[in-house]
Amino acid sequence: MFKLSTLAAAVFAASAVLSAQAGEVEVLHYWTSGGEAKSVAELKKIMQAQGHTWKDFAVAGGGGDNAATALKSRVVSGNPPAAAQIKGPAIQEWAAEGVLGNLDAVAKAEKWDSLLPKVVADVMKFKGNYVAAPVNVHRVNFVWANPEVLKKAGVAGMPKTYDEFFAAADKIKAAGLIPVAHGGQNWQDFTTFESVVLGVGGAKFYNDALVKLDAKAIGSDTMKKSLETFRKIKSYTDAAAPGRDWNLATAMVMQGKAGFQFMGDWAKGEFLAAGKVPGKDFLCAAAPGTSTAYTFNVDSFAMFKLKAGDAQKAQADLAGAIMSPAFQEVFNLNKGSIPVRLNMKMDKFDDCAKLSSKDFVDTAKTGSLVPSVAHGMAIKPAAEGAIKDVVSQFWNDDKVTVADAMKKIATAAATK
Ligand code: BGC
C-alpha cells in the first residue's frame, strides 16, 4: 500500500513536471516532397522526445509561395503559428511588423554568435536580437544528371561550360531523350536563370545585376547574353514542363527520361529518399561556368510572439533543437544541404555535400559567395516577385524579345 502510493505520487509528480514543461509547437513549412518530408520528420521526432506536441502546418508548393500566403492570413487574423519557414529579407519585414518573438535567451545560452557565420547570424537578427533560427545552407547553382542517360547519349562527363552543356544536350536529344527536366513555375524558372547569370557573367556581375539591381548591369551585353543562353536552355525542355513540380522533374532524371536538371541541392534529398547513390545513380556538379561561385539559400524558422508560457517554452526548445549538432547533422543528411552550424564534422556526408561545404568556405574568401534571388535571400520580396514574373514571361513567350525583357527587369527592380 505504502509502496503503491509512493509510486502513484512519483508518477503524478513526473507527469506534473512534464506538463509544466511540455507545450505545443505549430510549425508552418513547405517540406512535402519525399526528401523534404523525411527531413522535417527529424525535427518533429526531437520535439516529441522532449514531450512537446508537434502540430504540423504543411503547405505544399515548392519555393514556399503558397506557404507565404497561408502565413499572412494566419498572422492577420491574430493567430500565428509558433514557427514559420521564413528566410532572408522577409524575416526583417515580419520583424518590423512587431509580430516576431525574441530568441536571445536561448541564443546567448547556446552561444549562437560563435556557432554561425556572421552573414547568416545577421539575417536571423532584427535590431540586434535573434528572431529566427537557421537550419541549413543549400547551394542553388547545382546541375543534376543521370549517368546512364549521359552514357547512352555518348556524353563524356558533366559539362563545365555552356558550349559543353549545349553539345551534351544535343546528343541527349539525338538519343531520343529529354535533355533538361524542368518544372515551369516562376521560382524554378528563376532558379535556372540565376545560375545562368552567374555562369555567364560571374559573381560580380550577378551581384551588380541581381542583388544591387544596378541599371547599367541590367542593361548590359552580359545580361543580353544571359537571357539568350537561358532561352536556349528552354528549347531542350519538354512540352509538359509548364506547371510541373520540381520533384517530378527530379524524378524524370532519376528514371532516365531526362538528362539534366538545374536545381538546388534539395534535389539530392529527393534522389537519396528514393535510395539513389550519389556518383553512381546520379551526378552533381556546379552549373556551367559557376564552379568557383556559390549561390546560397539558408532555410530558417522565424518564431512568432506567443502568450502561453508552455507554448513559449516549447518554442524556445524548438529553436534550441534546430541549432543542436545532432539535428543539424541528421536533417542535412536527408535534406541535401549542409549544416549552417560551423565546425560540424562532414564525414557522414557524401561528395556533393563535401563539395558544397568546401566551396562555401572558399567562395566566402574570394567574394563569390552570393545570395540566391530565386530563394528569397537577396532582395525585398516585392521586387523579387516582380522580377521573377518578367523572367517567367520571357521564358514562356518567345515573342518577348531580349531587349523587352531587359527593360522590364529594370522596371520590376524598382518595385517597392
Ligand atoms: C527551400 C528548400 C526547399 C525548396 C523546394 C527552397 O526555397 O529553401 O528548403 O526544399 O525550396 O521547396
Side-chain angles (χ1 to χ4, degrees), residues 89-114:
I91 296 176
Q92 306 300 313
E93 289 197 345
W94 279 111
E97 296 289 322
V99 289
L100 298 188
N102 185 324
L103 299 175
D104 280 351
V106 54
K108 285 216 172 83
E110 303 286 335
K111 304 195 172 61
W112 287 10
D113 275 346
S114 64

mmCIF file of all heavy atoms in Angstrom, residues 89-114:
data_model
loop_
_atom_site.group_PDB
_atom_site.id
_atom_site.type_symbol
_atom_site.label_atom_id
_atom_site.label_comp_id
_atom_site.label_asym_id
_atom_site.label_seq_id
_atom_site.Cartn_x
_atom_site.Cartn_y
_atom_site.Cartn_z
ATOM 1 N N PRO A 89 15.498 38.538 -46.423
ATOM 2 C CA PRO A 89 14.908 39.836 -46.094
ATOM 3 C C PRO A 89 13.459 39.757 -45.598
ATOM 4 O O PRO A 89 12.989 40.667 -44.906
ATOM 5 C CB PRO A 89 14.955 40.592 -47.431
ATOM 6 C CG PRO A 89 16.059 39.943 -48.205
ATOM 7 C CD PRO A 89 16.080 38.509 -47.771
ATOM 8 N N ALA A 90 12.756 38.662 -45.908
ATOM 9 C CA ALA A 90 11.374 38.533 -45.423
ATOM 10 C C ALA A 90 11.347 38.460 -43.893
ATOM 11 O O ALA A 90 10.375 38.889 -43.255
ATOM 12 C CB ALA A 90 10.706 37.293 -46.028
ATOM 13 N N ILE A 91 12.413 37.957 -43.287
ATOM 14 C CA ILE A 91 12.473 37.896 -41.809
ATOM 15 C C ILE A 91 12.404 39.321 -41.253
ATOM 16 O O ILE A 91 11.677 39.604 -40.303
ATOM 17 C CB ILE A 91 13.773 37.208 -41.334
ATOM 18 C CG1 ILE A 91 13.794 35.745 -41.792
ATOM 19 C CG2 ILE A 91 13.929 37.302 -39.813
ATOM 20 C CD1 ILE A 91 15.091 35.005 -41.452
ATOM 21 N N GLN A 92 13.169 40.211 -41.901
ATOM 22 C CA GLN A 92 13.184 41.608 -41.444
ATOM 23 C C GLN A 92 11.800 42.237 -41.599
ATOM 24 O O GLN A 92 11.345 42.980 -40.737
ATOM 25 C CB GLN A 92 14.212 42.424 -42.245
ATOM 26 C CG GLN A 92 15.621 41.838 -42.251
ATOM 27 C CD GLN A 92 16.211 41.715 -40.850
ATOM 28 O OE1 GLN A 92 16.133 42.667 -40.072
ATOM 29 N NE2 GLN A 92 16.775 40.564 -40.524
ATOM 30 N N GLU A 93 11.144 41.915 -42.704
ATOM 31 C CA GLU A 93 9.820 42.515 -42.921
ATOM 32 C C GLU A 93 8.830 42.056 -41.849
ATOM 33 O O GLU A 93 8.058 42.851 -41.313
ATOM 34 C CB GLU A 93 9.292 42.159 -44.322
ATOM 35 C CG GLU A 93 10.063 42.887 -45.416
ATOM 36 C CD GLU A 93 9.341 42.893 -46.765
ATOM 37 O OE1 GLU A 93 8.386 42.103 -46.956
ATOM 38 O OE2 GLU A 93 9.750 43.697 -47.625
ATOM 39 N N TRP A 94 8.864 40.774 -41.520
ATOM 40 C CA TRP A 94 7.953 40.276 -40.476
ATOM 41 C C TRP A 94 8.317 40.871 -39.120
ATOM 42 O O TRP A 94 7.439 41.240 -38.334
ATOM 43 C CB TRP A 94 7.985 38.745 -40.405
ATOM 44 C CG TRP A 94 7.123 38.107 -41.450
ATOM 45 C CD1 TRP A 94 7.533 37.400 -42.530
ATOM 46 C CD2 TRP A 94 5.689 38.135 -41.510
ATOM 47 N NE1 TRP A 94 6.451 36.980 -43.270
ATOM 48 C CE2 TRP A 94 5.305 37.416 -42.665
ATOM 49 C CE3 TRP A 94 4.690 38.699 -40.708
ATOM 50 C CZ2 TRP A 94 3.972 37.242 -43.040
ATOM 51 C CZ3 TRP A 94 3.357 38.525 -41.080
ATOM 52 C CH2 TRP A 94 3.013 37.809 -42.224
ATOM 53 N N ALA A 95 9.601 40.973 -38.851
ATOM 54 C CA ALA A 95 10.033 41.517 -37.556
ATOM 55 C C ALA A 95 9.587 42.976 -37.419
ATOM 56 O O ALA A 95 9.138 43.402 -36.351
ATOM 57 C CB ALA A 95 11.544 41.397 -37.412
ATOM 58 N N ALA A 96 9.680 43.714 -38.523
ATOM 59 C CA ALA A 96 9.290 45.130 -38.482
ATOM 60 C C ALA A 96 7.797 45.290 -38.188
ATOM 61 O O ALA A 96 7.353 46.333 -37.704
ATOM 62 C CB ALA A 96 9.659 45.807 -39.801
ATOM 63 N N GLU A 97 7.010 44.256 -38.455
ATOM 64 C CA GLU A 97 5.568 44.283 -38.129
ATOM 65 C C GLU A 97 5.341 44.098 -36.624
ATOM 66 O O GLU A 97 4.214 44.184 -36.143
ATOM 67 C CB GLU A 97 4.828 43.145 -38.851
ATOM 68 C CG GLU A 97 4.822 43.222 -40.367
ATOM 69 C CD GLU A 97 3.937 44.342 -40.886
ATOM 70 O OE1 GLU A 97 2.863 44.564 -40.299
ATOM 71 O OE2 GLU A 97 4.348 44.997 -41.858
ATOM 72 N N GLY A 98 6.400 43.751 -35.909
ATOM 73 C CA GLY A 98 6.278 43.582 -34.454
ATOM 74 C C GLY A 98 5.654 42.267 -34.026
ATOM 75 O O GLY A 98 5.198 42.123 -32.890
ATOM 76 N N VAL A 99 5.646 41.276 -34.916
ATOM 77 C CA VAL A 99 4.956 40.024 -34.576
ATOM 78 C C VAL A 99 5.903 38.885 -34.192
ATOM 79 O O VAL A 99 5.448 37.815 -33.787
ATOM 80 C CB VAL A 99 4.040 39.556 -35.745
ATOM 81 C CG1 VAL A 99 2.836 40.480 -35.879
ATOM 82 C CG2 VAL A 99 4.816 39.459 -37.053
ATOM 83 N N LEU A 100 7.204 39.109 -34.336
ATOM 84 C CA LEU A 100 8.137 38.020 -34.009
ATOM 85 C C LEU A 100 8.608 38.094 -32.554
ATOM 86 O O LEU A 100 8.690 39.174 -31.971
ATOM 87 C CB LEU A 100 9.358 38.054 -34.951
ATOM 88 C CG LEU A 100 9.084 37.851 -36.444
ATOM 89 C CD1 LEU A 100 10.396 37.722 -37.215
ATOM 90 C CD2 LEU A 100 8.199 36.622 -36.697
ATOM 91 N N GLY A 101 8.905 36.918 -31.999
ATOM 92 C CA GLY A 101 9.384 36.837 -30.623
ATOM 93 C C GLY A 101 10.891 37.064 -30.553
ATOM 94 O O GLY A 101 11.541 37.332 -31.568
ATOM 95 N N ASN A 102 11.424 36.961 -29.353
ATOM 96 C CA ASN A 102 12.853 37.210 -29.142
ATOM 97 C C ASN A 102 13.519 35.915 -28.659
ATOM 98 O O ASN A 102 13.101 35.343 -27.648
ATOM 99 C CB ASN A 102 12.985 38.326 -28.079
ATOM 100 C CG ASN A 102 14.428 38.737 -27.866
ATOM 101 O OD1 ASN A 102 15.339 37.913 -27.926
ATOM 102 N ND2 ASN A 102 14.627 40.021 -27.600
ATOM 103 N N LEU A 103 14.531 35.478 -29.405
ATOM 104 C CA LEU A 103 15.187 34.203 -29.082
ATOM 105 C C LEU A 103 16.520 34.396 -28.375
ATOM 106 O O LEU A 103 17.322 33.461 -28.289
ATOM 107 C CB LEU A 103 15.416 33.411 -30.379
ATOM 108 C CG LEU A 103 14.177 33.040 -31.180
ATOM 109 C CD1 LEU A 103 14.567 32.374 -32.493
ATOM 110 C CD2 LEU A 103 13.306 32.103 -30.356
ATOM 111 N N ASP A 104 16.758 35.609 -27.884
ATOM 112 C CA ASP A 104 18.090 35.885 -27.334
ATOM 113 C C ASP A 104 18.465 34.989 -26.158
ATOM 114 O O ASP A 104 19.646 34.637 -26.013
ATOM 115 C CB ASP A 104 18.210 37.354 -26.919
ATOM 116 C CG ASP A 104 18.474 38.236 -28.122
ATOM 117 O OD1 ASP A 104 18.733 37.676 -29.210
ATOM 118 O OD2 ASP A 104 18.407 39.469 -27.979
ATOM 119 N N ALA A 105 17.484 34.609 -25.323
ATOM 120 C CA ALA A 105 17.822 33.784 -24.149
ATOM 121 C C ALA A 105 18.488 32.487 -24.603
ATOM 122 O O ALA A 105 19.587 32.156 -24.162
ATOM 123 C CB ALA A 105 16.571 33.507 -23.319
ATOM 124 N N VAL A 106 17.829 31.788 -25.537
ATOM 125 C CA VAL A 106 18.408 30.520 -25.996
ATOM 126 C C VAL A 106 19.668 30.775 -26.834
ATOM 127 O O VAL A 106 20.665 30.058 -26.709
ATOM 128 C CB VAL A 106 17.359 29.635 -26.730
ATOM 129 C CG1 VAL A 106 16.684 30.346 -27.852
ATOM 130 C CG2 VAL A 106 17.965 28.348 -27.265
ATOM 131 N N ALA A 107 19.657 31.824 -27.638
ATOM 132 C CA ALA A 107 20.815 32.108 -28.494
ATOM 133 C C ALA A 107 22.058 32.424 -27.658
ATOM 134 O O ALA A 107 23.167 31.986 -27.973
ATOM 135 C CB ALA A 107 20.496 33.266 -29.431
ATOM 136 N N LYS A 108 21.851 33.171 -26.559
ATOM 137 C CA LYS A 108 23.003 33.510 -25.691
ATOM 138 C C LYS A 108 23.480 32.264 -24.960
ATOM 139 O O LYS A 108 24.677 31.973 -24.932
ATOM 140 C CB LYS A 108 22.613 34.603 -24.692
ATOM 141 C CG LYS A 108 22.526 35.960 -25.355
ATOM 142 C CD LYS A 108 23.016 37.093 -24.441
ATOM 143 C CE LYS A 108 23.089 38.386 -25.217
ATOM 144 N NZ LYS A 108 21.760 39.076 -25.301
ATOM 145 N N ALA A 109 22.516 31.522 -24.381
ATOM 146 C CA ALA A 109 22.888 30.330 -23.618
ATOM 147 C C ALA A 109 23.644 29.338 -24.501
ATOM 148 O O ALA A 109 24.586 28.695 -24.062
ATOM 149 C CB ALA A 109 21.637 29.683 -23.028
ATOM 150 N N GLU A 110 23.234 29.232 -25.745
ATOM 151 C CA GLU A 110 23.858 28.249 -26.651
ATOM 152 C C GLU A 110 24.998 28.854 -27.489
ATOM 153 O O GLU A 110 25.536 28.187 -28.368
ATOM 154 C CB GLU A 110 22.801 27.652 -27.593
ATOM 155 C CG GLU A 110 21.614 26.997 -26.901
ATOM 156 C CD GLU A 110 21.970 25.653 -26.284
ATOM 157 O OE1 GLU A 110 22.915 25.023 -26.767
ATOM 158 O OE2 GLU A 110 21.314 25.263 -25.304
ATOM 159 N N LYS A 111 25.268 30.133 -27.295
ATOM 160 C CA LYS A 111 26.379 30.816 -27.998
ATOM 161 C C LYS A 111 26.241 30.816 -29.514
ATOM 162 O O LYS A 111 27.195 30.509 -30.249
ATOM 163 C CB LYS A 111 27.727 30.189 -27.606
ATOM 164 C CG LYS A 111 27.998 30.192 -26.113
ATOM 165 C CD LYS A 111 29.479 29.894 -25.860
ATOM 166 C CE LYS A 111 29.878 30.064 -24.419
ATOM 167 N NZ LYS A 111 29.194 29.204 -23.460
ATOM 168 N N TRP A 112 25.059 31.166 -29.998
ATOM 169 C CA TRP A 112 24.838 31.146 -31.445
ATOM 170 C C TRP A 112 25.809 32.057 -32.196
ATOM 171 O O TRP A 112 26.223 31.743 -33.301
ATOM 172 C CB TRP A 112 23.400 31.569 -31.778
ATOM 173 C CG TRP A 112 22.360 30.548 -31.456
ATOM 174 C CD1 TRP A 112 22.524 29.393 -30.740
ATOM 175 C CD2 TRP A 112 20.987 30.586 -31.847
ATOM 176 N NE1 TRP A 112 21.331 28.718 -30.646
ATOM 177 C CE2 TRP A 112 20.376 29.423 -31.314
ATOM 178 C CE3 TRP A 112 20.212 31.483 -32.569
ATOM 179 C CZ2 TRP A 112 19.023 29.145 -31.505
ATOM 180 C CZ3 TRP A 112 18.860 31.212 -32.766
ATOM 181 C CH2 TRP A 112 18.276 30.059 -32.241
ATOM 182 N N ASP A 113 26.149 33.203 -31.582
ATOM 183 C CA ASP A 113 27.029 34.144 -32.293
ATOM 184 C C ASP A 113 28.347 33.495 -32.704
ATOM 185 O O ASP A 113 28.906 33.825 -33.735
ATOM 186 C CB ASP A 113 27.327 35.381 -31.424
ATOM 187 C CG ASP A 113 26.226 36.429 -31.560
ATOM 188 O OD1 ASP A 113 25.412 36.306 -32.495
ATOM 189 O OD2 ASP A 113 26.179 37.349 -30.720
ATOM 190 N N SER A 114 28.821 32.566 -31.862
ATOM 191 C CA SER A 114 30.101 31.934 -32.198
ATOM 192 C C SER A 114 29.905 30.666 -33.041
ATOM 193 O O SER A 114 30.878 30.083 -33.509
ATOM 194 C CB SER A 114 30.873 31.612 -30.925
ATOM 195 O OG SER A 114 30.149 30.657 -30.185
#
